Each structure stands twice: as C-alpha cells, then as structure tokens.
Amino acid sequence: MTLDFSAFVADATADPAVVGLVLKGSRAHDGMTTRHSDHDLYVILADDAASELAALDGYRSARLDLVVTTLERFRRPADWERYAIARSRVLVDRRDGEVTRIVAAMGRFGAEEAFRSAAALLDAYANSLYRSVKNHRDGNPLAGHLDAAASVGFLLDLLFALDRRPRPYNKYLAWELDRFPLPGDGAEDREPAAGVRAARVARKTSPPVISRRR
C-alpha cells in the first residue's frame, strides 16, 4: 500500500491520539524542493495514547517517509536529528504550542552544552589537521588528504557550536549560511535580498526563526 501525503495528513489530524505533525527535510526548506523530493513527516502521539498509526513508524515510499513517535521521545531526539527538527515546519500542534516550542528549542544549544561540544570538537579538529600535516610531511599524501577532509566536518560542527546551533546537513549548508550566517562571515558587508535581511534582523533578536504553518 502506498500512502498519499495529503490524505495521510487528513487521517492523522482526525486521530485524537495525534498531538503533532512536523514536516522536515527539503520540503521544510524554502527553495530546496526538487521533483525527487518526498515528504518526511514526524507523527507525534500523546505519551499515554494508543493509535493504529504507531504501526507505520518507519514507513518509506518514494513520496512519503514517516517517523511515528511519542511526545516524550520527540523532546529527546538523536543528535543527528536535531538540525532536521530545528528547521522543520509544524503542521499540527494540539498542545497549546508545546510542539512548536520543542522545535524552536532544537535550534539553540544551552551555554553549557555548547561549551562542552566546542571543547571536544576543537580537540577533534586539531588532531585531524595535525595528522594530515604529519602524513604530508612523511610522504603519504592520500592519508594526508583523507585526514584533512575528515577535519572539515569537525570544523563545521565547531563553528556552529560556537554560535550555539546544530550544524546543518551538507545539503543545506549554503541554504543555512545564506539565511542565518555565522558571526563574522562577512555577510554584513554584502547587500542581501529582502528576505535574507529580514531573517538576519530576526536572528539578532531571537533564536533562529523556525518557519511553520498550522
């Protein structure tokens, strides 16, 4: 059976156990959708509720991917899911804004969390870079290039952690930096488009703005 996105959203919205529907991925990033884009959807159930939708957790098709979870688990995603949630769109929120607040919180690290992450990432970046230099020195360019390439991931994680934000997936790196530049990247010296200017002003006064619809 192949599920249709619009029909599924209508059915899920009618299910009283569903407290939230959250769209992530390219369809939550303006301008990133292609003809190959599917719909990646979190279906959030009340912690104490039973629903037949739970059996659809992990459903995959060319047009719809589902993660069916509870509100409690949605509050504590895996680290690699954090950026996806931070830039997702809330389609349904039946908890007086709680789902929307959880999504917004994913885009901002606490000070202690950011400090711990930055310290570990700086060490990992320096070690990878040092190994790269040593390998080039010792006449092993392949290992040197591989270590240098590995160091870039740690560096990007570090730069975003210093701004208390999760690093975007590589697919969305340019999109993220265009709309929410890192401090000191020189974006202030460029004349941005009106939409980017508005996003930049919003970012100066609040955590990264999460696009959403009900």
Side-chain angles (χ1 to χ4, degrees):
M1 178 183 64
T2 300
L3 298 177
D4 174 76
F5 172 72
S6 297
F8 178 82
V9 168
D11 290 342
T13 301
D15 188 329
V18 174
V19 297
L21 294 175
V22 177
L23 181 68
K24 65 173 182 173
S26 57
R27 292 191 179 274
H29 289 71
D30 293 335
M32 292 295 294
T33 303
T34 73
R35 64 187 181 89
H36 303 292
S37 298
D38 61 359
H39 293 82
D40 297 289
L41 190 67
Y42 287 100
V43 181
I44 306 167
L45 305 178
D47 294 328
D48 56 352
S51 171
E52 293 181 356
L53 295 179
L56 291 174
D57 182 35
Y59 173 87
R60 298 287 184 271
S61 74
R63 293 301 177 193
L64 180 62
D65 290 353
L66 298 177
V67 176
V68 184
T69 186
T70 64
L71 188 61
E72 180 62 25
R73 290 201 301 268
F74 188 68
R75 292 189 188 98
R76 296 175 175 82
D79 288 343
W80 60 267
E81 288 184 285
R82 187 158 182 169
Y83 176 79
I85 296 175
R87 290 285 177 244
S88 64
R89 293 182 180 177
V90 178
L91 307 182
V92 172
D93 184 347
R94 287 179 171 154
R95 284 298 179 95
D96 297 324
E98 183 178 3
V99 174
T100 301
R101 289 191 294 272
I102 292 171
V103 167
M106 293 296 157
R108 191 71 172 166
F109 293 150
E112 288 190 13
E113 180 184 10
F115 179 82
R116 290 194 304 269
S117 296
L121 290 167
L122 179 58
D123 184 63
Y125 168 64
N127 281 332
S128 288
L129 187 62
Y130 184 50
R131 285 195 295 269
S132 172
V133 171
K134 289 197 300 180
N135 281 319
H136 279 289
R137 179 201 63 191
D138 296 338
N140 191 345
L142 175 59
H145 287 308
L146 290 174
D147 282 329
S151 75
V152 173
F154 294 123
L155 177 60
L156 288 171
D157 284 334
L158 172 62
L159 292 175
F160 279 93
L162 289 173
D163 199 33
R164 296 172 60 180
R165 295 155 58 185
R167 170 191 163 186
Y169 306 145
N170 293 335
K171 177 180 181 179
Y172 304 120
L173 180 60
W175 184 98
E176 181 78 13
L177 291 175
D178 184 47
R179 289 158 177 78
F180 308 103
L182 292 167
D185 73 346
E188 297 82 359
D189 299 328
R190 301 192 299 269
E191 181 61 25
V196 179
R197 279 202 302 271
R200 190 169 299 148
V201 170
R203 184 178 174 276
K204 290 179 179 178
T205 58
S206 66
V209 176
I210 307 299
S211 176
R212 63 183 184 270
R213 65 179 184 233
R214 296 293 179 90

